Amino acid sequence: MDDFVNGRPRKLFLRCCRYAPLRATLYLCSMTNEKAVAEKLLQVSAIKLSPQQPFTWASGWKSPIYCDNRRILSFPYSRDFIKSEMCNVIFTHFPGAELLAGVATAGIAWGAMAADQLKLPYVYVRPKPKEHGMGNQIEGFYTAGQKVLVVEDLVSTGKSSLQVCEVLRAAGLEVVGMVSIFTYGFEAAATAFADAGIPLHALTNYPTLIELAVEKGVVSAADHNTLLNWRNNPAQWPGN
């Protein structure tokens, strides 16, 4: 299925309405940027909500939400919208960035697309050094002292994301910040990023997404507090 506008597949919407591009633009402009991004994630099912039958994360936590931003890559209009929003955030909040670094694996594509649009050099960071060849953990060309911005698709506790920042710092790069598509907004992550001295800017976040999901009937109003309570204390959420 193609991308969506106002809940309908884009191609169908364009056939049905002569002024669809203008109306779609006005529709998006009437929303906050965070809300518009959240809507795209829901439309392509990059985020699924299931408070009654929670998902199990790799950590073993039970969660009413599952995020797979890789799905966005399969929807060209949504992909382009997210890429443009990411570039806007980079241009606005990190104008001094001289290099972008994608986090393997999910951040690689987004970092490459943003670097291409902004005409910035690009590298990506592996979870660990290669066990053959040059043994690189940072792939691509860079020079010590460059100001690098890290590109992630998702920030949860921030642990793995900040490990990438440490790898870049150890290589002599100056980490100016991180941009991500989505963040849960866990207090532990906010504390970790503050302690590391690394500003984080996400295109959208958990509270915005939940508000939109209730508004659109994706989840019931009765589930609203349940979903917010999970974010406040996921380890103590029922089932964990």
Side-chain angles (χ1 to χ4, degrees):
M1 184 178 289
D2 207 352
D3 291 272
F4 306 89
V5 176
N6 290 359
R8 285 181 284 174
R10 177 176 290 267
K11 288 182 178 177
L12 175 61
F13 188 81
L14 292 174
R15 286 197 298 268
C16 293
C17 180
R18 181 180 176 186
Y19 301 104
L22 175 60
R23 292 189 180 182
T25 300
L26 291 174
Y27 171 68
L28 289 174
C29 287
S30 69
M31 308 173 76
T32 65
N33 287 358
E34 291 179 347
K35 199 170 182 180
V37 171
E39 181 172 57
K40 293 295 183 186
L41 302 187
L42 288 172
Q43 284 177 342
V44 302
S45 296
I47 288 183
K48 295 182 182 294
L49 296 168
S50 181
Q52 306 306 324
Q53 294 181 303
F55 305 96
T56 302
W57 283 6
S59 63
W61 276 2
K62 297 293 184 182
S63 167
I65 181 172
Y66 187 78
C67 181
D68 181 10
N69 288 329
R70 293 175 180 86
R71 282 185 61 91
I72 308 167
L73 299 172
S74 300
F75 297 84
Y77 292 102
S78 296
R79 182 182 67 216
D80 192 59
F81 179 81
I82 299 298
K83 178 191 70 174
S84 296
E85 285 300 305
M86 180 172 285
C87 289
N88 288 338
V89 168
I90 294 171
F91 187 79
T92 301
H93 296 285
F94 303 103
E98 301 169 328
L99 172 72
L100 298 188
V103 178
T105 57
I108 291 177
W110 295 107
M113 288 188 288
D116 183 64
Q117 183 156 321
L118 295 170
K119 301 301 178 245
L120 287 172
Y122 178 66
V123 298
Y124 72 86
V125 185
R126 296 174 176 274
K128 61 180 182 179
K130 288 173 64 176
E131 297 178 353
H132 57 279
M134 300 294 292
N136 294 334
Q137 187 166 5
I138 303 173
E139 297 287 4
F141 178 79
Y142 60 92
T143 57
Q146 277 184 299
K147 296 179 179 179
V148 59
L149 175 68
V150 180
V151 179
E152 261 281 26
D153 79 317
L154 169 68
V155 172
S156 53
T157 64
K159 182 178 178 181
S160 61
S161 302
L162 289 171
Q163 286 174 344
V164 167
C165 295
E166 289 307 309
V167 170
L168 292 165
R169 283 174 166 173
L173 293 162
E174 179 184 346
V175 179
V176 297
M178 182 180 297
V179 61
S180 70
I181 297 173
F182 185 75
T183 179
Y184 294 108
F186 292 142
E187 185 176 343
T191 300
F193 274 90
D195 290 345
I198 296 174
L200 168 67
H201 286 274
L203 304 191
T204 193
N205 53 69
Y206 187 77
T208 300
L209 180 102
I210 298 307
E211 179 185 341
L212 181 66
V214 172
E215 179 185 312
K216 291 190 165 295
V218 176
V219 294
S220 70
D223 288 326
H224 183 262
N225 288 338
T226 299
L227 290 162
L228 291 182
N229 287 339
W230 170 82
R231 198 283 300 267
N232 294 335
N233 197 350
Q236 298 301 316
W237 199 65
N240 287 335

